[in-house]
Every structure is written in structure tokens, then in C-alpha cells.
Amino acid sequence: MSTTDRVHLDQKGRLVIGDHAEVVRLAHDPETFSSIVSRHLQVPNGLDGAAHAEMRHLLDPFMDADAVAQLLPELERIAADLVARLDAADAPFGAVADLGARFAVRAQSAWLGWLPEWEEPLLQWVADNRVASRTGHPRATAEIADRFDAIIRELLRRRREHPRDDVTTRLMGLRHSDGSALRDDELVSILRNVTGGDLGSLALCTGVIVHWLAVHPEHQDHVAAASDADLDAAIDEILRADDPFVSNRRRVTRQTEVGGCPVHAGQIVVLDWRAANRDPAVFVEPDAFDPAAHAAANLVYGTGPHVCPGRLLATAELRVLVRALLTAGRIEPAGDPEREQAPVAGFRAVPVRLV
């Protein structure tokens, strides 16, 4: 098997694709490159074909533009309150742990209708999940997943006992096209994917963005004054250059080729979004900040039928948080400048301060 610097084998022997054109091609061909990879149920991102289309039809309205617009005032309140508390403390804070994770938990709880009592257990889960993800130890990641599923099952149990008019209750009332109710394992999987995945991802996105603004102070004024559309584009561009959504797997369904390499049915390939978003064949200067020029090719939220269903919600959450920060003051690094410049693939633990 021949490989290139954009298509290579990883330590597990999987073919990793970082070529932008190939990543896009594979993501748009779910019949050949299936998303049914995990041994665990994953709704909707681990489904294909009619099953995937049905679940996206049911779930997308909970995260569409109208739903986000209704939630926006509460997101703005949460962001302003959290930033005000950090500003009043007049001390360095961690963009991931102190800001991103707590905002993610509060924002997702507001969207889903979860009570404040779940904030600390969810924050602890986000922190433990980040550690487990870094180590990659199968037992640790399995235990973390089981813990989150237990949280979700308890939430569902309580909601059945005490229904409320919120997104969680409405999700529990969804029906398949044949009229049957969603099973508990489907509900757990949905809530795991729209919360468990997004909590950690939103925290890491916050770390990437705040870190970038701290070490690029010359951009803070025009980002602060940008329109919503321009701010969204700036955020997407910052995340493109330092993408925390690293990769997704696909299962090959038939004999074919990827990047000139033969692949066979049953083989697992990896779509490397991070590498594709820095492919010099598409982004001539991958480190250059150019939202307008790079927007059309940006793969931060994926592409194809499995494009992230929560991209509008995540974008709105990040926008209101950035606005709250830059309204409160300027962001400065509060640690070692050399460490602040280090590419840590989204894990921004270096503290910052508001001045």
C-alpha cells in the first residue's frame, strides 16, 4: 500500500485521510464509507441511509435557526453572568475548565431544561472525560461513557415522574415514522451525543478561541465590533486553524481506493478533519487568518449528510461567549508566552486574564 503525507497509516494500521478533497469525497459517499462503526448505538451520527435521515428529520428542528433564536437571550444572560464573575475575581482563569466547561454545561442545561443540581456532576464528568480522552485507555473511556449514560438514565427517570415543558420532555415524546416511541437506548444515545459530545467540544472550542485572541491581541477590537455573521465567520476560521474536532471514522463497505490506496470491505478509515482543514492545496497559508477566503472549504463541523446537526447552536453559544468576554475587557495571557504559542490540539490549559 502506498501512502502520502496527506494519506497515511496510523499506529492501529488504519488509513488516515488528511487530504481535503478526499475527506470531502468520502464524507459525501455514505454508501461506500459508512458511519456505522461503533459497537455502541450512536444516534444520529452512527446511522446511515433511511434510519439516519429519519432521526435527523426528528432532531434537527430542536437545533434549527428558530430554536436557537428562542434560546439566545438565555445564552446571553448565562455568558454575561459567568464572565462578570470571572472579571470580578480579578484573577487568571482557565479558558477550558473555568470558562468553557461551565458555560457549556449551563448553556446545554438551559437548552434541555435540566436543573442546576446537575451542574457539578456534569462539570466533573467533562473534566474526567477530557483526561480519559487524552490517555485513550479503553477501560477509562468505557467507564466515563457508562457514567454519562447513568446520568442520562436518571434524568429520564425523573422527567417521567415529573414532566416539564422543555426540550428533554419533547425529545421523549418523539415517534418513529411507524408511530412507535423512541426506545430508552435511543434517547440515551441522542442525549449522549447532543450533550456528552458537545459539552467537551464546546469547552475545547472556547479554549482554542480564547487562546487565539489572547496571543493575537491585534484582532480583538475588530472581532468585538464585528456583526454576528462576521463574528461567526471569525470563530469558524479560528477553529479551522486549530480544529478541536479532530477526526471521525468510517467503515468501508466495498473494495475501492482512497488517495490512491486500495481499501477493502470492512476496513476502518479515519477522516482527519484537522489535517484537511490545514491542507495547503486548499489553504495556501494554513495559519493565515482569512475568514472570507477560507469559509467555503472550512470543515470544522464536517460536511455531507452527517454534517454536525448542532452547528448553529454551537456557533451561537460561542458567539455570545466571545462577545461577553470582549465586552468585559481585553484578554491577555497569564502564563508562559512560549507555552501559550504551543500547538496543543485544542487543550488550552494556559490561564488568561481580563484587563
Side-chain angles (χ1 to χ4, degrees), residues 82-95:
L82 183 53
V83 169
R85 290 173 184 271
L86 291 172
D87 190 26
D90 195 24
F93 60 89

Side-chain angles (χ1 to χ4, degrees), residues 240-253:
R240 176 201 62 79
D242 192 4
D243 193 347
F245 307 108
V246 178
S247 63
N248 287 125
R249 297 174 296 163
R250 295 290 191 272
R251 179 178 54 83
V252 183
T253 63

Side-chain angles (χ1 to χ4, degrees), residues 41-45 55 59 108 111-114 122 125 148-149 151-157 159-160 167-172 182-199:
L41 179 65
Q42 294 186 333
V43 182
N45 52 307
M55 293 311 303
L59 298 175
Q108 292 288 306
W111 174 52
L112 291 165
W114 292 358
L122 287 169
W125 181 87
F148 194 81
D149 283 5
I151 292 173
I152 297 299
R153 290 185 186 279
E154 177 62 16
L155 279 162
L156 292 175
R157 185 190 68 78
R159 192 52 50 85
R160 286 193 176 98
V167 168
T168 298
T169 301
R170 291 195 288 276
L171 284 170
M172 294 170 67
L182 269 62
R183 305 185 310 270
D184 262 16
D185 62 337
E186 291 176 311
L187 287 168
V188 169
S189 180
I190 290 167
L191 288 167
R192 182 198 309 125
N193 282 309
V194 301
T195 55
D198 288 350
L199 291 177

Side-chain angles (χ1 to χ4, degrees), residues 150-229:
I151 292 173
I152 297 299
R153 290 185 186 279
E154 177 62 16
L155 279 162
L156 292 175
R157 185 190 68 78
R158 295 191 187 186
R159 192 52 50 85
R160 286 193 176 98
E161 291 181 354
H162 305 285
R164 301 176 61 196
D165 181 18
D166 58 24
V167 168
T168 298
T169 301
R170 291 195 288 276
L171 284 170
M172 294 170 67
L174 291 176
R175 294 290 184 271
H176 289 289
S177 56
D178 63 4
S180 62
L182 269 62
R183 305 185 310 270
D184 262 16
D185 62 337
E186 291 176 311
L187 287 168
V188 169
S189 180
I190 290 167
L191 288 167
R192 182 198 309 125
N193 282 309
V194 301
T195 55
D198 288 350
L199 291 177
S201 297
L202 194 69
L204 293 178
C205 286
T206 301
V208 170
I209 296 165
V210 172
H211 174 271
W212 189 89
L213 289 168
V215 298
H216 295 89
E218 69 277 12
H219 288 289
Q220 291 189 33
D221 288 340
H222 74 77
V223 169
S227 66
D228 284 354

Side-chain angles (χ1 to χ4, degrees), residues 60-78 107 110-112 165-167 170 312-313 316-317 319-320:
D60 282 3
F62 291 97
M63 295 170 276
D64 66 12
D66 289 340
V68 171
Q70 291 179 22
L71 184 63
L72 203 56
E74 182 63 9
L75 294 178
E76 291 170 343
R77 186 198 65 76
I78 292 168
W111 174 52
L112 291 165
D165 181 18
D166 58 24
V167 168
R170 291 195 288 276
L312 294 180
L313 178 59
E317 289 171 338
R319 182 203 315 139
V320 301

